[in-house]
Amino acid sequence: MFRPVQQEKPPTQAKPAALAKPAIRPAQPSPRIGDGFAPIAFALVKGPADACGPGCDSWIAAEGKIDGSAAARFRKFMKQIGDRKLPIYFNSPGGNLEQALAIGTMLRERKAAVRVGRTTLRECGFEPQEGDVCTRLKLSARELHGEVWTRGAMCNSACPYIILGGTTREVGPDATLAVHSPRVILNFTGGVPTREMRAQALQQAMARSDRMVLDHLIKLGADPALLTAARSVPFESMRVLTREEIVRFAIDRRDRVESPWMFEAANRGIAYKTILARKDGETSFGTTRFQLVCFDQNRFELDVERNAPSGSGRASLAIVGGDLRLNFLSPPRRSGGRETWGVFLDGGQVRALASTRTAELTDGPSNLARPDGAPFPVASEGLQSALKMLTDTCPPAKAATQPVIAPVPWQQVPWPQASAR
């Protein structure tokens, strides 16, 4: 597409020499993805202890569309915070490619730790987090307070090129990265261009865009195949990167990615976590999801959803931590290559699980007294605070009654779908 310069007299056919240098504005978010996002704002946020990882309670929130002055604002913001080494969480639908590359370069110069996450500010109260009130708060340069989440966070379009600037790059197991081809807006002067002029200018602009991205990828040590993946998708669409692609393109090379336990109030309170992992020699990642719900303050259910192991004979699953051992109900519920196990806990058992630094999932044949499967570690980071918030939403404990036998429906809170729209 092109945007003609307004003329005071009837236009004449443009001469080739009159073609201005096309302005590249790739990766502007499509309406379905970008609606509701203000220009990207940077804010210093303080949260509870360990809110952004062990020993980390402060971070930089980068939220919104990457507009034409984003790099200048980011440079000014980083000058204001000085030499503080804080992780930066991006939540962006994308935007201006040249600005994204500039921000990525600045991050590399600062040897920054970059992650994908969405920040909710307490100061916003009941105002929308992407609304004008919150945006003004983020632009105020004052320290704010809030929480950071990976579930539902996005880094789309031009945003992944920013993430590559970090010397430490972390993409949570429940965050979304998506790419597509750039959009180029051509500005012509001197008259109305012919169809051939438009095609030639567009080709030149796209080639320049590709060179910029390729140089950026090579400079930051990323796989140029990321550009190939992006160019395979038209601007109007999005390609959500799989975890295998995120590793292969060197955006986040970890073979195991584990979210902390988080609390979320949906139809009912729920504590949840997600683990993506692959074993040595394997190419594909397996997804293991946990959810903890309560019936009252002394009765809980822990569900584990995972890929069903290949082969037959494994018919037991247990979670072990310290002196605690819990055997899941057998057989599990199975659907579409996935299986879900459940176990009931009382208040003492769930508190014991939360106090254990790392528990382990173990499985094995039903005819063995001890499991023979390789232990699958499960960190309890965040579980104590999530459990407190979950318990606060539960009704008081009741007198002893018959055990609850109906499993709690899975996915009280929707999981991210394989689409950026």
Side-chain angles (χ1 to χ4, degrees), residues 347-388:
Q349 289 172 319
V350 76
R351 287 190 292 272
L353 181 64
S355 65
T356 302
R357 183 172 182 179
T358 302
E360 292 180 340
L361 283 179
T362 57
D363 57 351
S366 58
N367 61 344
L368 293 180
R370 296 178 59 84
D372 68 347
F376 185 81
V378 181
S380 61
E381 178 189 348
L383 182 53
Q384 289 195 10
S385 60
L387 177 59
K388 181 182 184 306

Side-chain angles (χ1 to χ4, degrees), residues 221-238:
D223 190 335
L226 175 59
L227 174 59
T228 304
R231 294 288 274 114
S232 69
V233 184
F235 169 77
E236 296 78 10
S237 301
M238 278 284 182

